[in-house]
Coordinates of all heavy atoms in Angstrom, one line a residue:
A333 N 13.2 -18.7 5.3 CA 13.7 -20.0 5.7 C 15.1 -20.0 6.1 O 15.6 -21.0 6.7 CB 13.5 -21.0 4.6
V346 N 10.3 -25.8 14.7 CA 10.7 -27.1 14.4 C 10.7 -28.0 15.6 O 10.2 -29.1 15.7 CB 12.1 -27.1 13.8 CG1 12.7 -28.5 13.7 CG2 12.1 -26.4 12.4
L351 N 6.0 -26.9 12.6 CA 6.3 -26.8 11.2 C 6.4 -28.3 10.7 O 7.2 -29.0 11.1 CB 7.6 -26.1 10.9 CG 8.0 -25.9 9.5 CD1 7.0 -25.1 8.7 CD2 9.4 -25.2 9.4
R352 N 5.5 -28.6 9.7 CA 5.5 -30.0 9.2 C 6.1 -30.2 7.9 O 6.6 -31.3 7.5 CB 4.0 -30.4 9.2 CG 3.3 -30.4 10.4 CD 3.9 -31.1 11.6 NE 4.1 -32.5 11.2 CZ 5.3 -33.1 11.2 NH1 6.4 -32.5 11.5 NH2 5.4 -34.4 10.9
A353 N 6.1 -29.2 7.0 CA 6.8 -29.3 5.7 C 7.1 -27.9 5.1 O 6.5 -26.9 5.4 CB 5.8 -30.0 4.7
V354 N 8.2 -27.9 4.3 CA 8.6 -26.8 3.5 C 8.7 -27.2 2.1 O 9.5 -28.2 1.8 CB 9.9 -26.1 4.0 CG1 10.3 -25.0 3.2 CG2 9.8 -25.7 5.5
V355 N 8.0 -26.5 1.2 CA 8.1 -26.9 -0.2 C 8.6 -25.7 -1.1 O 8.1 -24.6 -0.9 CB 6.6 -27.2 -0.8 CG1 6.7 -27.5 -2.3 CG2 6.1 -28.4 0.0
S356 N 9.6 -25.9 -1.8 CA 10.1 -24.8 -2.7 C 9.5 -24.9 -4.0 O 9.4 -26.0 -4.6 CB 11.7 -24.9 -2.9 OG 12.0 -26.1 -3.4
L357 N 9.0 -23.8 -4.6 CA 8.3 -23.7 -5.8 C 9.2 -23.1 -6.9 O 10.1 -22.3 -6.6 CB 7.0 -22.9 -5.7 CG 6.0 -23.4 -4.7 CD1 4.9 -22.3 -4.5 CD2 5.4 -24.7 -5.2
H370 N 8.2 -20.3 -1.3 CA 8.1 -21.5 -0.5 C 6.6 -21.7 0.0 O 6.0 -20.7 0.3 CB 9.0 -21.5 0.7 CG 10.5 -21.7 0.3 ND1 11.5 -21.7 1.3 CD2 11.0 -21.9 -0.8 CE1 12.6 -21.9 0.7 NE2 12.4 -22.0 -0.5
L371 N 6.2 -22.9 0.2 CA 5.0 -23.2 1.0 C 5.4 -23.8 2.3 O 6.3 -24.7 2.4 CB 4.2 -24.2 0.2 CG 3.5 -23.8 -1.1 CD1 2.7 -24.9 -1.7 CD2 2.6 -22.6 -0.9
W372 N 4.9 -23.2 3.4 CA 5.1 -23.8 4.7 C 3.8 -24.4 5.1 O 2.7 -23.7 5.1 CB 5.5 -22.6 5.7 CG 6.9 -22.2 5.6 CD1 7.7 -22.2 4.5 CD2 7.6 -21.6 6.6 NE1 8.9 -21.7 4.8 CE2 8.9 -21.2 6.0 CE3 7.4 -21.2 8.0 CZ2 9.9 -20.6 6.8 CZ3 8.4 -20.6 8.7 CH2 9.6 -20.2 8.2
V373 N 3.9 -25.7 5.6 CA 2.7 -26.4 6.1 C 2.9 -26.5 7.6 O 4.0 -27.0 8.0 CB 2.6 -27.8 5.5 CG1 1.4 -28.5 6.0 CG2 2.5 -27.7 3.9
T386 N 10.4 -35.8 12.4 CA 10.9 -35.4 11.0 C 10.1 -34.2 10.5 O 8.9 -33.9 10.9 CB 10.8 -36.5 10.1 OG1 9.5 -36.9 9.9 CG2 11.7 -37.7 10.6
I387 N 10.6 -33.6 9.5 CA 9.9 -32.5 8.7 C 10.1 -32.9 7.3 O 11.2 -33.2 6.8 CB 10.5 -31.1 9.0 CG1 10.1 -30.7 10.4 CG2 10.0 -30.1 8.0 CD1 10.7 -29.3 10.8
L388 N 9.1 -32.8 6.5 CA 9.1 -33.1 5.1 C 9.6 -31.8 4.3 O 9.1 -30.7 4.5 CB 7.7 -33.4 4.5 CG 7.7 -33.7 3.0 CD1 8.5 -34.9 2.6 CD2 6.2 -33.8 2.5
L389 N 10.7 -32.0 3.5 CA 11.2 -31.1 2.7 C 11.0 -31.5 1.2 O 11.4 -32.6 0.8 CB 12.7 -30.7 2.9 CG 13.0 -30.3 4.3 CD1 14.5 -30.1 4.4 CD2 12.3 -29.0 4.7
V390 N 10.5 -30.6 0.4 CA 10.2 -31.0 -1.1 C 10.8 -29.9 -1.9 O 10.5 -28.7 -1.7 CB 8.7 -31.1 -1.3 CG1 8.4 -31.5 -2.8 CG2 8.1 -32.2 -0.4
D391 N 11.5 -30.2 -2.9 CA 12.1 -29.3 -3.8 C 11.4 -29.4 -5.2 O 11.9 -30.1 -6.1 CB 13.6 -29.5 -4.0 CG 14.3 -28.4 -4.8 OD1 13.6 -27.4 -5.2 OD2 15.5 -28.5 -5.2
A392 N 10.3 -28.7 -5.3 CA 9.5 -28.8 -6.5 C 10.1 -27.9 -7.6 O 9.6 -27.9 -8.7 CB 8.1 -28.4 -6.3
A393 N 11.2 -27.2 -7.3 CA 11.9 -26.4 -8.3 C 13.1 -27.1 -8.7 O 14.0 -26.4 -9.4 CB 12.2 -25.0 -7.7
A394 N 13.3 -28.3 -8.5 CA 14.6 -29.0 -8.8 C 14.8 -29.1 -10.3 O 16.0 -29.0 -10.7 CB 14.6 -30.4 -8.2
T408 N 4.4 -33.6 -8.1 CA 5.7 -33.7 -7.2 C 5.4 -33.4 -5.8 O 5.9 -34.2 -4.9 CB 6.7 -32.6 -7.7 OG1 7.0 -32.9 -9.1 CG2 7.9 -32.6 -6.9
V409 N 4.6 -32.4 -5.5 CA 4.3 -32.0 -4.1 C 3.4 -33.1 -3.4 O 3.7 -33.6 -2.3 CB 3.6 -30.6 -4.0 CG1 3.3 -30.3 -2.6 CG2 4.6 -29.6 -4.5
S411 N 2.7 -36.2 -4.3 CA 3.2 -37.5 -4.3 C 4.2 -37.7 -3.1 O 4.5 -38.8 -2.7 CB 3.8 -37.9 -5.6 OG 4.9 -37.1 -5.8
A412 N 4.7 -36.6 -2.6 CA 5.5 -36.6 -1.4 C 4.7 -36.4 -0.1 O 4.8 -37.1 0.9 CB 6.6 -35.6 -1.5
W413 N 3.8 -35.4 -0.1 CA 3.1 -35.1 1.1 C 2.1 -36.1 1.5 O 2.1 -36.5 2.7 CB 2.3 -33.7 0.8 CG 1.4 -33.4 1.9 CD1 0.0 -33.4 1.9 CD2 1.7 -33.0 3.3 NE1 -0.6 -33.0 3.1 CE2 0.5 -32.7 4.0 CE3 2.9 -32.8 4.0 CZ2 0.4 -32.4 5.3 CZ3 2.9 -32.5 5.3 CH2 1.6 -32.2 6.0
Y416 N 3.9 -39.2 3.1 CA 4.5 -38.8 4.3 C 3.4 -38.6 5.4 O 3.6 -39.0 6.6 CB 5.2 -37.4 4.1 CG 5.8 -36.9 5.4 CD1 7.0 -37.4 5.9 CD2 5.2 -35.8 6.0 CE1 7.5 -36.8 7.1 CE2 5.8 -35.2 7.2 CZ 6.9 -35.8 7.7 OH 7.4 -35.2 8.9
F423 N 8.3 -43.3 5.5 CA 8.4 -42.5 4.2 C 9.9 -42.5 3.8 O 10.8 -42.2 4.6 CB 8.0 -41.1 4.5 CG 8.1 -40.1 3.3 CD1 7.2 -40.2 2.2 CD2 9.1 -39.2 3.2 CE1 7.3 -39.4 1.1 CE2 9.3 -38.4 2.1 CZ 8.4 -38.5 1.1
T424 N 10.1 -42.9 2.6 CA 11.5 -43.0 2.1 C 12.0 -41.9 1.3 O 13.2 -41.7 0.9 CB 11.7 -44.3 1.2 OG1 10.7 -44.3 0.1 CG2 11.4 -45.5 2.1
G425 N 11.0 -41.0 0.8 CA 11.4 -39.9 0.0 C 11.6 -40.2 -1.5 O 11.4 -41.4 -1.9
A426 N 12.1 -39.2 -2.3 CA 12.4 -39.3 -3.7 C 13.7 -38.7 -3.9 O 13.9 -37.5 -3.6 CB 11.3 -38.7 -4.5
P427 N 14.7 -39.4 -4.4 CA 16.0 -38.9 -4.6 C 16.0 -37.5 -5.3 O 15.5 -37.4 -6.4 CB 16.8 -40.0 -5.4 CG 16.1 -41.2 -5.1 CD 14.6 -40.8 -4.9
G428 N 16.6 -36.5 -4.7 CA 16.8 -35.2 -5.3 C 15.5 -34.4 -5.2 O 15.5 -33.2 -5.7
I429 N 14.4 -34.9 -4.8 CA 13.1 -34.1 -4.8 C 12.5 -34.0 -3.4 O 12.2 -32.9 -3.0 CB 12.1 -34.9 -5.7 CG1 12.6 -35.0 -7.1 CG2 10.7 -34.2 -5.7 CD1 12.8 -33.7 -7.8
A430 N 12.4 -35.1 -2.6 CA 11.8 -35.0 -1.3 C 12.5 -35.9 -0.3 O 13.1 -36.9 -0.7 CB 10.3 -35.5 -1.4
A431 N 12.5 -35.4 1.0 CA 13.1 -36.2 2.0 C 12.5 -35.8 3.3 O 12.0 -34.7 3.5 CB 14.6 -35.9 2.1
A432 N 12.4 -36.8 4.2 CA 11.9 -36.6 5.6 C 13.2 -36.3 6.4 O 13.9 -37.2 6.8 CB 11.1 -37.7 6.1
M433 N 13.4 -35.1 6.8 CA 14.6 -34.7 7.5 C 14.3 -34.8 9.0 O 13.4 -34.3 9.6 CB 14.9 -33.2 7.2 CG 15.5 -33.0 5.9 SD 17.1 -33.9 5.6 CE 18.1 -33.2 6.8
P434 N 15.3 -35.5 9.7 CA 15.1 -35.5 11.2 C 15.3 -34.1 11.8 O 16.0 -33.3 11.4 CB 16.4 -36.4 11.6 CG 16.7 -37.2 10.4 CD 16.4 -36.3 9.2
V435 N 14.4 -33.9 12.8 CA 14.5 -32.6 13.5 C 15.8 -32.2 14.0 O 16.3 -31.1 13.9 CB 13.4 -32.6 14.6 CG1 13.6 -31.4 15.5 CG2 12.0 -32.5 14.0
D437 N 18.7 -32.9 12.8 CA 19.6 -32.4 11.7 C 19.4 -30.9 11.3 O 20.2 -30.3 10.7 CB 19.4 -33.3 10.5 CG 20.0 -34.7 10.7 OD1 20.5 -34.9 11.8 OD2 19.8 -35.5 9.8
L438 N 18.1 -30.4 11.7 CA 17.8 -29.1 11.2 C 18.1 -28.1 12.4 O 18.3 -26.9 12.1 CB 16.3 -29.0 10.9 CG 15.8 -29.7 9.7 CD1 14.3 -29.7 9.6 CD2 16.4 -29.2 8.4
L439 N 18.3 -28.6 13.5 CA 18.5 -27.6 14.7 C 19.9 -27.3 14.9 O 20.5 -27.6 16.0 CB 17.8 -28.2 16.0 CG 16.3 -28.3 16.0 CD1 15.8 -29.0 17.2 CD2 15.7 -26.9 15.9
V443 N 19.7 -23.1 11.4 CA 18.3 -23.5 11.3 C 17.8 -23.1 9.9 O 16.7 -22.5 9.7 CB 17.4 -23.0 12.4 CG1 16.1 -23.8 12.4 CG2 18.1 -23.0 13.7
D444 N 18.6 -23.4 8.9 CA 18.2 -23.2 7.5 C 17.2 -24.2 7.0 O 17.6 -25.4 6.9 CB 19.5 -23.1 6.6 CG 19.2 -22.6 5.2 OD1 18.0 -22.6 4.8 OD2 20.2 -22.2 4.5
L445 N 16.0 -23.8 6.6 CA 15.0 -24.7 6.2 C 14.9 -24.8 4.7 O 13.9 -25.3 4.2 CB 13.6 -24.4 6.8 CG 13.6 -24.2 8.4 CD1 12.3 -23.8 8.8 CD2 14.1 -25.5 9.0
T446 N 15.7 -24.3 3.9 CA 15.7 -24.3 2.5 C 15.8 -25.7 2.0 O 16.8 -26.4 2.2 CB 16.8 -23.5 1.8 OG1 16.8 -22.2 2.4 CG2 16.7 -23.4 0.3
P447 N 14.8 -26.3 1.3 CA 14.8 -27.7 0.9 C 16.0 -28.1 0.1 O 16.6 -29.2 0.5 CB 13.5 -27.8 0.1 CG 12.6 -26.8 0.6 CD 13.4 -25.6 0.9
A448 N 16.4 -27.4 -0.9 CA 17.5 -27.8 -1.8 C 18.8 -28.0 -1.0 O 19.6 -28.9 -1.4 CB 17.7 -26.8 -2.9
R449 N 19.0 -27.4 0.1 CA 20.2 -27.5 0.9 C 20.3 -28.7 1.8 O 21.3 -29.0 2.3 CB 20.5 -26.2 1.7 CG 20.7 -25.0 0.8 CD 20.8 -23.7 1.6 NE 20.9 -22.6 0.7 CZ 20.7 -21.4 0.9 NH1 20.3 -21.0 2.2 NH2 20.8 -20.4 0.0
H450 N 19.2 -29.4 2.0 CA 19.1 -30.6 2.7 C 18.8 -31.8 1.9 O 19.3 -33.0 2.3 CB 18.1 -30.4 3.9 CG 18.4 -29.3 4.8 ND1 19.3 -29.5 5.8 CD2 17.9 -28.1 4.9 CE1 19.3 -28.3 6.5 NE2 18.5 -27.5 5.9
I451 N 18.0 -31.7 0.9 CA 17.6 -32.9 0.2 C 18.7 -33.7 -0.5 O 18.7 -34.9 -0.5 CB 16.6 -32.5 -0.9 CG1 15.3 -32.1 -0.2 CG2 16.3 -33.6 -1.9 CD1 14.2 -31.6 -1.1
R452 N 19.8 -32.9 -0.9 CA 20.9 -33.6 -1.5 C 21.6 -34.6 -0.6 O 21.8 -35.8 -1.0 CB 21.9 -32.5 -1.9 CG 23.3 -33.1 -2.4 CD 23.3 -33.8 -3.7 NE 24.6 -34.2 -4.1 CZ 25.3 -35.3 -3.6 NH1 24.6 -36.0 -2.6 NH2 26.4 -35.6 -4.0
T453 N 21.8 -34.2 0.7 CA 22.4 -35.1 1.6 C 21.5 -36.2 2.0 O 21.8 -37.4 2.1 CB 22.8 -34.3 2.9 OG1 23.7 -33.3 2.6 CG2 23.5 -35.2 3.9
A454 N 20.2 -35.9 2.2 CA 19.2 -36.9 2.6 C 19.0 -37.9 1.5 O 18.8 -39.1 1.7 CB 17.9 -36.3 2.9
S455 N 19.1 -37.5 0.2 CA 18.9 -38.4 -1.0 C 20.0 -39.4 -1.0 O 19.8 -40.6 -1.3 CB 18.8 -37.5 -2.2 OG 17.7 -36.7 -2.2

Side-chain angles (χ1 to χ4, degrees):
V346 169
L351 183 62
R352 303 302 305 119
V354 178
V355 177
S356 62
L357 299 170
H370 288 178
L371 293 177
W372 284 24
V373 183
T386 61
I387 290 177
L388 176 66
L389 300 181
V390 181
D391 187 7
T408 299
V409 176
S411 64
W413 171 248
Y416 176 76
F423 181 76
T424 57
I429 300 295
M433 287 297 300
V435 166
D437 290 355
L438 294 173
L439 292 175
V443 198
D444 188 341
L445 304 178
T446 306
R449 293 175 186 162
H450 297 281
I451 288 174
R452 167 71 177 77
T453 303
S455 298

